Amino acid sequence: HPQTPVRAAMSNIQQLIMILNSATDTPSDILITYFNNCTVNPKDSILKRVESLEHIFKKKFAEAVGQGCAEIGSQRYKLGVRLYYRVMESMLKSEEERLSVQNFSKLLNDNIFHTSLLACAVEVVMATYGRNASQSDGTSAETDLSFPWILNVFDLKAFDFYKVIESFIKAEPSLTREMIKHLQHCEHQILESLAWQSGSPLFELIKQSKERESQAEQPEPPSA
Amino acid sequence: AQDYHFGLEEGEGISELFDCD
């Protein structure tokens, strides 16, 4: 049959669900091994964060779509969590290979890293379903859950979300072409506008780089 | 992913982006 937009969207959803069917709701044995290799084991904080963000996501989803859809929000969040653990494992494997390191204590105890990675995973799920937002599952096309909605839900700075996108795409080879285009669109939205909003961490980074440049340009004192 | 413009250098990854190198 010719590929209609709805059929294409449905196949993307089915593909996502198929990929995530084999993923787990909790960290895999390989992830647990990485956690155990850390100077400070991040496992408890990771599980606590996933649980607390689920409550927040479910509440915001229900507020946006309708109280009757809270369970749908919970299901979407759970798919996002599976993708989050799956991508985290893939990222750590590639970083281990690239850096010949097994102790990722600093990265795995970084709250912003985990919140950004989980937000990206949930955004992939939301965008996949969003393309097929129809009356059938109760979410109306008018409810705009599209990016950057997830940033507000997780109270996440756009530039921190931006930092995980490329590594996320590299770590998840089964992302569809449409999804990669969507994430690229998110990048452009962030770089062209969201990252320049007041309070963005980008301004601090620019300030630090300017300070480094000015220090590098200062002549050395004669004693040196 | 061919359409995606990868910007990280060879020696860069998620660890550098979160200052964990």
Short mmCIF file of all heavy atoms in Angstrom, two decimals, chain A residues 54-115:
data_model
loop_
_atom_site.label_atom_id
_atom_site.label_comp_id
_atom_site.label_asym_id
_atom_site.label_seq_id
_atom_site.Cartn_x
_atom_site.Cartn_y
_atom_site.Cartn_z
N GLU A 54 9.16 11.14 36.76
CA GLU A 54 7.94 10.51 36.25
C GLU A 54 6.70 11.20 36.82
O GLU A 54 5.75 11.50 36.11
CB GLU A 54 7.89 9.02 36.62
CG GLU A 54 6.56 8.39 36.15
CD GLU A 54 6.47 6.90 36.36
OE1 GLU A 54 7.36 6.33 37.00
OE2 GLU A 54 5.48 6.30 35.88
N HIS A 55 6.76 11.48 38.14
CA HIS A 55 5.60 12.17 38.78
C HIS A 55 5.38 13.54 38.12
O HIS A 55 4.24 13.92 37.79
CB HIS A 55 5.86 12.34 40.28
CG HIS A 55 6.00 11.04 41.03
ND1 HIS A 55 5.09 10.01 40.90
CD2 HIS A 55 6.98 10.59 41.85
CE1 HIS A 55 5.48 8.97 41.64
NE2 HIS A 55 6.62 9.30 42.23
N ILE A 56 6.49 14.25 37.90
CA ILE A 56 6.36 15.60 37.31
C ILE A 56 5.81 15.50 35.89
O ILE A 56 4.88 16.22 35.50
CB ILE A 56 7.75 16.29 37.31
CG1 ILE A 56 8.22 16.55 38.74
CG2 ILE A 56 7.70 17.60 36.51
CD1 ILE A 56 9.66 17.00 38.84
N PHE A 57 6.36 14.55 35.11
CA PHE A 57 5.95 14.40 33.70
C PHE A 57 4.47 14.05 33.63
O PHE A 57 3.70 14.65 32.86
CB PHE A 57 6.79 13.34 33.01
CG PHE A 57 6.43 13.14 31.56
CD1 PHE A 57 6.99 13.93 30.57
CD2 PHE A 57 5.47 12.20 31.18
CE1 PHE A 57 6.64 13.78 29.24
CE2 PHE A 57 5.10 12.04 29.86
CZ PHE A 57 5.70 12.83 28.88
N LYS A 58 4.08 13.06 34.45
CA LYS A 58 2.70 12.59 34.43
C LYS A 58 1.74 13.73 34.75
O LYS A 58 0.71 13.93 34.09
CB LYS A 58 2.55 11.46 35.48
CG LYS A 58 1.40 10.48 35.23
CD LYS A 58 1.47 9.32 36.22
CE LYS A 58 0.20 8.49 36.18
NZ LYS A 58 0.24 7.33 37.14
N LYS A 59 2.11 14.54 35.74
CA LYS A 59 1.26 15.68 36.16
C LYS A 59 1.15 16.71 35.04
O LYS A 59 0.06 17.15 34.65
CB LYS A 59 1.87 16.29 37.41
CG LYS A 59 1.16 17.50 38.01
CD LYS A 59 1.76 17.86 39.36
CE LYS A 59 1.23 19.17 39.88
NZ LYS A 59 1.76 20.34 39.09
N LYS A 60 2.30 17.05 34.44
CA LYS A 60 2.30 18.08 33.38
C LYS A 60 1.56 17.57 32.15
O LYS A 60 0.87 18.32 31.46
CB LYS A 60 3.77 18.42 33.01
CG LYS A 60 4.56 19.05 34.12
CD LYS A 60 4.25 20.52 34.27
CE LYS A 60 5.17 21.19 35.30
NZ LYS A 60 4.83 22.58 35.56
N PHE A 61 1.73 16.27 31.86
CA PHE A 61 1.06 15.69 30.67
C PHE A 61 -0.45 15.76 30.86
O PHE A 61 -1.19 16.19 29.98
CB PHE A 61 1.51 14.24 30.47
CG PHE A 61 1.06 13.61 29.18
CD1 PHE A 61 1.85 13.65 28.05
CD2 PHE A 61 -0.18 12.96 29.10
CE1 PHE A 61 1.43 13.06 26.85
CE2 PHE A 61 -0.61 12.38 27.90
CZ PHE A 61 0.20 12.43 26.78
N ALA A 62 -0.88 15.39 32.06
CA ALA A 62 -2.32 15.41 32.35
C ALA A 62 -2.85 16.84 32.31
O ALA A 62 -3.94 17.11 31.80
CB ALA A 62 -2.57 14.77 33.71
N GLU A 63 -2.08 17.77 32.82
CA GLU A 63 -2.49 19.18 32.80
C GLU A 63 -2.65 19.66 31.35
O GLU A 63 -3.56 20.41 31.00
CB GLU A 63 -1.46 20.07 33.51
CG GLU A 63 -1.53 20.00 35.03
CD GLU A 63 -0.33 20.70 35.69
OE1 GLU A 63 0.48 21.32 34.96
OE2 GLU A 63 -0.20 20.58 36.92
N ALA A 64 -1.73 19.18 30.49
CA ALA A 64 -1.73 19.66 29.10
C ALA A 64 -2.79 18.98 28.25
O ALA A 64 -3.45 19.61 27.42
CB ALA A 64 -0.35 19.41 28.48
N VAL A 65 -2.97 17.68 28.51
CA VAL A 65 -3.83 16.91 27.59
C VAL A 65 -5.20 16.64 28.19
O VAL A 65 -6.21 16.57 27.50
CB VAL A 65 -3.15 15.56 27.22
CG1 VAL A 65 -4.00 14.78 26.25
CG2 VAL A 65 -1.77 15.82 26.63
N GLY A 66 -5.21 16.50 29.52
CA GLY A 66 -6.49 16.19 30.19
C GLY A 66 -6.23 15.13 31.25
O GLY A 66 -5.43 14.22 31.04
N GLN A 67 -6.92 15.24 32.37
CA GLN A 67 -6.67 14.32 33.48
C GLN A 67 -6.89 12.86 33.07
O GLN A 67 -6.25 11.94 33.56
CB GLN A 67 -7.57 14.68 34.68
CG GLN A 67 -7.17 16.01 35.37
CD GLN A 67 -5.69 16.02 35.79
OE1 GLN A 67 -5.17 14.99 36.27
NE2 GLN A 67 -5.02 17.14 35.59
N GLY A 68 -7.78 12.67 32.10
CA GLY A 68 -8.08 11.29 31.66
C GLY A 68 -6.92 10.64 30.93
O GLY A 68 -6.91 9.43 30.68
N CYS A 69 -5.93 11.48 30.58
CA CYS A 69 -4.79 10.95 29.79
C CYS A 69 -3.54 10.75 30.62
O CYS A 69 -2.47 10.53 30.07
CB CYS A 69 -4.48 11.92 28.65
SG CYS A 69 -5.86 12.12 27.52
N ALA A 70 -3.69 10.81 31.95
CA ALA A 70 -2.49 10.69 32.80
C ALA A 70 -1.79 9.37 32.53
O ALA A 70 -0.56 9.29 32.46
CB ALA A 70 -2.91 10.79 34.26
N GLU A 71 -2.60 8.29 32.34
CA GLU A 71 -1.99 6.99 32.15
C GLU A 71 -1.23 6.92 30.82
O GLU A 71 -0.16 6.30 30.72
CB GLU A 71 -3.06 5.89 32.22
CG GLU A 71 -2.52 4.55 32.67
CD GLU A 71 -1.47 4.65 33.77
OE1 GLU A 71 -1.67 5.37 34.78
OE2 GLU A 71 -0.41 4.00 33.60
N ILE A 72 -1.77 7.61 29.81
CA ILE A 72 -1.06 7.64 28.51
C ILE A 72 0.29 8.32 28.70
O ILE A 72 1.32 7.86 28.21
CB ILE A 72 -1.90 8.42 27.47
CG1 ILE A 72 -3.19 7.67 27.12
CG2 ILE A 72 -1.08 8.69 26.21
CD1 ILE A 72 -4.11 8.42 26.17
N GLY A 73 0.28 9.41 29.48
CA GLY A 73 1.55 10.12 29.74
C GLY A 73 2.53 9.20 30.44
O GLY A 73 3.72 9.16 30.10
N SER A 74 2.02 8.40 31.39
CA SER A 74 2.90 7.50 32.13
C SER A 74 3.50 6.46 31.18
O SER A 74 4.69 6.15 31.25
CB SER A 74 2.08 6.80 33.22
OG SER A 74 2.90 5.95 33.97
N GLN A 75 2.68 5.96 30.26
CA GLN A 75 3.19 4.96 29.30
C GLN A 75 4.27 5.56 28.41
O GLN A 75 5.31 4.94 28.15
CB GLN A 75 2.03 4.45 28.42
CG GLN A 75 1.07 3.51 29.12
CD GLN A 75 -0.24 3.37 28.35
OE1 GLN A 75 -0.33 3.75 27.19
NE2 GLN A 75 -1.28 2.86 29.02
N ARG A 76 4.08 6.78 27.99
CA ARG A 76 5.07 7.42 27.13
C ARG A 76 6.37 7.67 27.88
O ARG A 76 7.47 7.48 27.36
CB ARG A 76 4.53 8.74 26.54
CG ARG A 76 3.32 8.46 25.69
CD ARG A 76 3.09 9.38 24.55
NE ARG A 76 1.89 8.95 23.84
CZ ARG A 76 1.02 9.79 23.24
NH1 ARG A 76 1.26 11.10 23.27
NH2 ARG A 76 -0.04 9.35 22.64
N TYR A 77 6.19 8.07 29.14
CA TYR A 77 7.38 8.31 29.96
C TYR A 77 8.17 7.01 30.12
O TYR A 77 9.40 6.99 30.01
CB TYR A 77 6.98 8.88 31.32
CG TYR A 77 8.16 9.17 32.21
CD1 TYR A 77 8.89 10.35 32.07
CD2 TYR A 77 8.57 8.27 33.19
CE1 TYR A 77 9.99 10.62 32.88
CE2 TYR A 77 9.66 8.52 34.01
CZ TYR A 77 10.36 9.70 33.85
OH TYR A 77 11.45 9.96 34.66
N LYS A 78 7.45 5.92 30.36
CA LYS A 78 8.13 4.64 30.56
C LYS A 78 8.92 4.23 29.32
O LYS A 78 10.03 3.71 29.40
CB LYS A 78 7.12 3.55 30.93
CG LYS A 78 6.66 3.60 32.39
CD LYS A 78 5.77 2.42 32.74
CE LYS A 78 5.41 2.27 34.22
NZ LYS A 78 5.14 3.46 34.97
N LEU A 79 8.35 4.48 28.14
CA LEU A 79 9.09 4.18 26.90
C LEU A 79 10.35 5.05 26.83
O LEU A 79 11.43 4.59 26.46
CB LEU A 79 8.22 4.47 25.67
CG LEU A 79 7.18 3.41 25.28
CD1 LEU A 79 6.36 3.89 24.08
CD2 LEU A 79 7.86 2.08 24.94
N GLY A 80 10.18 6.31 27.26
CA GLY A 80 11.33 7.22 27.27
C GLY A 80 12.43 6.72 28.19
O GLY A 80 13.62 6.79 27.86
N VAL A 81 12.05 6.18 29.35
CA VAL A 81 13.03 5.68 30.31
C VAL A 81 13.79 4.49 29.72
O VAL A 81 15.01 4.39 29.85
CB VAL A 81 12.34 5.28 31.64
CG1 VAL A 81 13.30 4.52 32.56
CG2 VAL A 81 11.83 6.52 32.35
N ARG A 82 13.07 3.63 29.01
CA ARG A 82 13.74 2.48 28.38
C ARG A 82 14.78 2.97 27.37
O ARG A 82 15.92 2.50 27.32
CB ARG A 82 12.71 1.60 27.66
CG ARG A 82 11.81 0.83 28.60
CD ARG A 82 10.95 -0.15 27.83
NE ARG A 82 10.12 -0.98 28.72
CZ ARG A 82 9.49 -2.06 28.31
NH1 ARG A 82 9.57 -2.44 27.04
NH2 ARG A 82 8.76 -2.78 29.16
N LEU A 83 14.39 3.96 26.59
CA LEU A 83 15.33 4.51 25.59
C LEU A 83 16.50 5.20 26.29
O LEU A 83 17.65 5.08 25.85
CB LEU A 83 14.57 5.49 24.69
CG LEU A 83 15.33 6.08 23.50
CD1 LEU A 83 15.87 4.98 22.58
CD2 LEU A 83 14.45 7.04 22.71
N TYR A 84 16.24 5.86 27.38
CA TYR A 84 17.28 6.55 28.18
C TYR A 84 18.34 5.57 28.65
O TYR A 84 19.55 5.77 28.43
CB TYR A 84 16.57 7.22 29.37
CG TYR A 84 17.40 7.60 30.56
CD1 TYR A 84 18.33 8.63 30.52
CD2 TYR A 84 17.20 6.95 31.78
CE1 TYR A 84 19.05 9.01 31.66
CE2 TYR A 84 17.91 7.31 32.92
CZ TYR A 84 18.83 8.33 32.85
OH TYR A 84 19.53 8.69 33.99
N TYR A 85 17.93 4.44 29.22
CA TYR A 85 18.91 3.46 29.70
C TYR A 85 19.65 2.83 28.52
O TYR A 85 20.86 2.58 28.57
CB TYR A 85 18.20 2.37 30.52
CG TYR A 85 17.78 2.81 31.90
CD1 TYR A 85 16.51 2.52 32.39
CD2 TYR A 85 18.64 3.52 32.72
CE1 TYR A 85 16.12 2.91 33.67
CE2 TYR A 85 18.27 3.93 33.99
CZ TYR A 85 17.00 3.61 34.47
OH TYR A 85 16.63 4.01 35.72
N ARG A 86 18.93 2.59 27.44
CA ARG A 86 19.51 1.95 26.26
C ARG A 86 20.59 2.85 25.64
O ARG A 86 21.71 2.40 25.36
CB ARG A 86 18.39 1.67 25.26
CG ARG A 86 18.80 1.13 23.92
CD ARG A 86 17.56 1.00 23.03
NE ARG A 86 17.89 0.95 21.62
CZ ARG A 86 18.04 -0.18 20.93
NH1 ARG A 86 17.86 -1.35 21.52
NH2 ARG A 86 18.36 -0.14 19.63
N VAL A 87 20.28 4.15 25.54
CA VAL A 87 21.24 5.08 24.94
C VAL A 87 22.41 5.32 25.89
O VAL A 87 23.56 5.42 25.47
CB VAL A 87 20.55 6.40 24.56
CG1 VAL A 87 21.55 7.46 24.15
CG2 VAL A 87 19.55 6.14 23.43
N MET A 88 22.11 5.39 27.20
CA MET A 88 23.19 5.63 28.17
C MET A 88 24.22 4.50 28.07
O MET A 88 25.43 4.74 28.05
CB MET A 88 22.61 5.66 29.59
CG MET A 88 23.63 6.11 30.63
SD MET A 88 23.14 5.85 32.33
CE MET A 88 21.49 6.40 32.43
N GLU A 89 23.73 3.26 27.99
CA GLU A 89 24.65 2.12 27.89
C GLU A 89 25.49 2.23 26.63
O GLU A 89 26.72 2.04 26.66
CB GLU A 89 23.84 0.82 27.88
CG GLU A 89 24.69 -0.43 27.76
CD GLU A 89 23.87 -1.72 27.79
OE1 GLU A 89 22.89 -1.79 28.58
OE2 GLU A 89 24.19 -2.63 27.00
N SER A 90 24.86 2.56 25.52
CA SER A 90 25.59 2.67 24.26
C SER A 90 26.62 3.80 24.32
O SER A 90 27.76 3.66 23.85
CB SER A 90 24.57 2.92 23.14
OG SER A 90 25.22 3.17 21.92
N MET A 91 26.25 4.91 24.93
CA MET A 91 27.17 6.06 25.06
C MET A 91 28.40 5.65 25.87
O MET A 91 29.54 5.93 25.49
CB MET A 91 26.47 7.20 25.78
CG MET A 91 25.72 8.16 24.92
SD MET A 91 25.09 9.50 25.94
CE MET A 91 24.17 10.41 24.72
N LEU A 92 28.14 4.95 27.00
CA LEU A 92 29.26 4.60 27.88
C LEU A 92 30.19 3.61 27.19
O LEU A 92 31.42 3.69 27.31
CB LEU A 92 28.71 4.03 29.20
CG LEU A 92 27.99 5.02 30.09
CD1 LEU A 92 27.34 4.30 31.28
CD2 LEU A 92 28.92 6.13 30.57
N LYS A 93 29.62 2.70 26.44
CA LYS A 93 30.47 1.74 25.69
C LYS A 93 31.38 2.48 24.72
O LYS A 93 32.59 2.23 24.63
CB LYS A 93 29.59 0.75 24.91
CG LYS A 93 29.00 -0.38 25.74
CD LYS A 93 28.11 -1.26 24.86
CE LYS A 93 27.41 -2.37 25.65
NZ LYS A 93 26.42 -3.11 24.83
N SER A 94 30.81 3.45 24.01
CA SER A 94 31.65 4.16 23.01
C SER A 94 32.66 5.05 23.71
O SER A 94 33.81 5.17 23.28
CB SER A 94 30.77 4.96 22.04
OG SER A 94 29.97 5.87 22.73
N GLU A 95 32.27 5.65 24.87
CA GLU A 95 33.24 6.48 25.61
C GLU A 95 34.35 5.61 26.20
O GLU A 95 35.51 6.00 26.23
CB GLU A 95 32.53 7.24 26.73
CG GLU A 95 31.67 8.40 26.25
CD GLU A 95 32.46 9.51 25.58
OE1 GLU A 95 32.77 9.40 24.36
OE2 GLU A 95 32.86 10.48 26.28
N GLU A 96 33.99 4.43 26.65
CA GLU A 96 35.01 3.52 27.20
C GLU A 96 36.02 3.16 26.12
O GLU A 96 37.23 3.17 26.34
CB GLU A 96 34.33 2.23 27.71
CG GLU A 96 35.32 1.20 28.25
CD GLU A 96 34.64 -0.08 28.72
OE1 GLU A 96 33.43 -0.26 28.47
OE2 GLU A 96 35.34 -0.91 29.35
N GLU A 97 35.51 2.92 24.92
CA GLU A 97 36.39 2.57 23.80
C GLU A 97 37.24 3.75 23.39
O GLU A 97 38.44 3.65 23.17
CB GLU A 97 35.51 2.11 22.62
CG GLU A 97 36.28 1.44 21.50
CD GLU A 97 35.32 0.98 20.39
OE1 GLU A 97 34.15 0.69 20.68
OE2 GLU A 97 35.78 0.96 19.22
N ARG A 98 36.63 4.93 23.36
CA ARG A 98 37.33 6.14 22.92
C ARG A 98 38.36 6.61 23.93
O ARG A 98 39.48 7.00 23.56
CB ARG A 98 36.30 7.26 22.67
CG ARG A 98 36.87 8.56 22.13
CD ARG A 98 35.75 9.52 21.80
NE ARG A 98 35.12 10.04 23.00
CZ ARG A 98 35.55 11.14 23.63
NH1 ARG A 98 36.62 11.79 23.18
NH2 ARG A 98 34.92 11.59 24.71
N LEU A 99 38.02 6.55 25.21
CA LEU A 99 38.89 7.14 26.25
C LEU A 99 39.68 6.08 27.01
O LEU A 99 40.51 6.43 27.84
CB LEU A 99 38.03 7.95 27.24
CG LEU A 99 37.24 9.12 26.64
CD1 LEU A 99 36.24 9.66 27.68
CD2 LEU A 99 38.19 10.22 26.18
N SER A 100 39.37 4.78 26.74
CA SER A 100 40.01 3.69 27.52
C SER A 100 39.82 3.94 29.02
O SER A 100 40.76 3.85 29.82
CB SER A 100 41.51 3.61 27.19
OG SER A 100 41.65 3.41 25.82
N VAL A 101 38.61 4.36 29.36
CA VAL A 101 38.28 4.65 30.77
C VAL A 101 37.09 3.80 31.14
O VAL A 101 36.21 3.53 30.32
CB VAL A 101 37.94 6.16 30.93
CG1 VAL A 101 37.26 6.43 32.26
CG2 VAL A 101 39.17 7.02 30.76
N GLN A 102 37.00 3.35 32.43
CA GLN A 102 35.81 2.62 32.87
C GLN A 102 35.12 3.31 34.04
O GLN A 102 34.02 2.97 34.41
CB GLN A 102 36.21 1.19 33.25
CG GLN A 102 36.59 0.38 32.02
CD GLN A 102 36.95 -1.06 32.38
OE1 GLN A 102 37.39 -1.32 33.50
NE2 GLN A 102 36.78 -1.97 31.44
N ASN A 103 35.82 4.29 34.61
CA ASN A 103 35.24 5.03 35.74
C ASN A 103 34.64 6.33 35.24
O ASN A 103 35.35 7.29 34.96
CB ASN A 103 36.34 5.32 36.79
CG ASN A 103 35.78 6.04 38.01
OD1 ASN A 103 34.64 6.51 37.97
ND2 ASN A 103 36.56 6.14 39.06
N PHE A 104 33.30 6.35 35.11
CA PHE A 104 32.62 7.56 34.61
C PHE A 104 31.89 8.25 35.76
O PHE A 104 30.76 8.72 35.62
CB PHE A 104 31.64 7.17 33.49
CG PHE A 104 32.31 6.66 32.25
CD1 PHE A 104 32.44 5.30 32.02
CD2 PHE A 104 32.88 7.55 31.35
CE1 PHE A 104 33.07 4.82 30.88
CE2 PHE A 104 33.53 7.07 30.20
CZ PHE A 104 33.61 5.72 29.97
N SER A 105 32.56 8.31 36.88
CA SER A 105 31.90 8.80 38.08
C SER A 105 31.38 10.22 37.93
O SER A 105 30.23 10.54 38.29
CB SER A 105 32.89 8.75 39.27
OG SER A 105 32.18 8.95 40.46
N LYS A 106 32.22 11.10 37.36
CA LYS A 106 31.80 12.51 37.26
C LYS A 106 30.59 12.63 36.32
O LYS A 106 29.59 13.28 36.67
CB LYS A 106 32.96 13.35 36.72
CG LYS A 106 32.76 14.87 36.92
CD LYS A 106 34.08 15.64 36.97
CE LYS A 106 33.82 17.09 37.35
NZ LYS A 106 33.67 17.94 36.12
N LEU A 107 30.66 12.01 35.17
CA LEU A 107 29.56 12.09 34.21
C LEU A 107 28.29 11.47 34.78
O LEU A 107 27.21 12.07 34.74
CB LEU A 107 29.94 11.37 32.91
CG LEU A 107 28.92 11.41 31.78
CD1 LEU A 107 28.74 12.83 31.26
CD2 LEU A 107 29.32 10.49 30.62
N LEU A 108 28.39 10.33 35.37
CA LEU A 108 27.21 9.59 35.84
C LEU A 108 26.63 10.16 37.13
O LEU A 108 25.56 9.75 37.56
CB LEU A 108 27.54 8.10 35.99
CG LEU A 108 27.81 7.38 34.67
CD1 LEU A 108 28.16 5.91 34.93
CD2 LEU A 108 26.63 7.48 33.72
N ASN A 109 27.39 11.08 37.75
CA ASN A 109 26.83 11.75 38.93
C ASN A 109 26.45 13.20 38.60
O ASN A 109 26.22 14.02 39.49
CB ASN A 109 27.83 11.74 40.10
CG ASN A 109 27.86 10.37 40.78
OD1 ASN A 109 26.96 10.03 41.53
ND2 ASN A 109 28.89 9.59 40.47
N ASP A 110 26.38 13.46 37.28
CA ASP A 110 26.03 14.82 36.83
C ASP A 110 24.51 14.88 36.57
O ASP A 110 24.00 14.30 35.62
CB ASP A 110 26.79 15.15 35.54
CG ASP A 110 26.57 16.59 35.08
OD1 ASP A 110 25.45 17.10 35.28
OD2 ASP A 110 27.51 17.19 34.52
N ASN A 111 23.81 15.60 37.45
CA ASN A 111 22.33 15.66 37.35
C ASN A 111 21.88 16.22 36.00
O ASN A 111 20.93 15.71 35.38
CB ASN A 111 21.80 16.55 38.48
CG ASN A 111 20.27 16.75 38.39
OD1 ASN A 111 19.53 15.78 38.35
ND2 ASN A 111 19.83 18.00 38.28
N ILE A 112 22.62 17.23 35.51
CA ILE A 112 22.19 17.87 34.24
C ILE A 112 22.36 16.89 33.08
O ILE A 112 21.54 16.81 32.18
CB ILE A 112 23.01 19.17 34.01
CG1 ILE A 112 22.61 20.20 35.05
CG2 ILE A 112 22.77 19.70 32.61
CD1 ILE A 112 23.37 21.51 34.97
N PHE A 113 23.44 16.08 33.12
CA PHE A 113 23.64 15.10 32.05
C PHE A 113 22.45 14.13 32.01
O PHE A 113 21.85 13.92 30.95
CB PHE A 113 24.94 14.31 32.29
CG PHE A 113 25.02 13.04 31.48
CD1 PHE A 113 25.17 13.08 30.09
CD2 PHE A 113 24.92 11.81 32.10
CE1 PHE A 113 25.22 11.90 29.34
CE2 PHE A 113 24.98 10.62 31.37
CZ PHE A 113 25.13 10.67 29.98
N HIS A 114 22.07 13.60 33.15
CA HIS A 114 20.98 12.62 33.18
C HIS A 114 19.65 13.24 32.80
O HIS A 114 18.86 12.66 32.05
CB HIS A 114 20.89 11.98 34.57
CG HIS A 114 21.97 11.02 34.86
ND1 HIS A 114 22.04 9.76 34.27
CD2 HIS A 114 23.08 11.12 35.62
CE1 HIS A 114 23.12 9.14 34.69
NE2 HIS A 114 23.77 9.93 35.50
N THR A 115 19.40 14.45 33.31
CA THR A 115 18.12 15.10 32.99
C THR A 115 18.05 15.41 31.50
O THR A 115 17.01 15.21 30.86
CB THR A 115 17.98 16.41 33.82
OG1 THR A 115 18.21 16.12 35.20
CG2 THR A 115 16.60 17.01 33.65
#
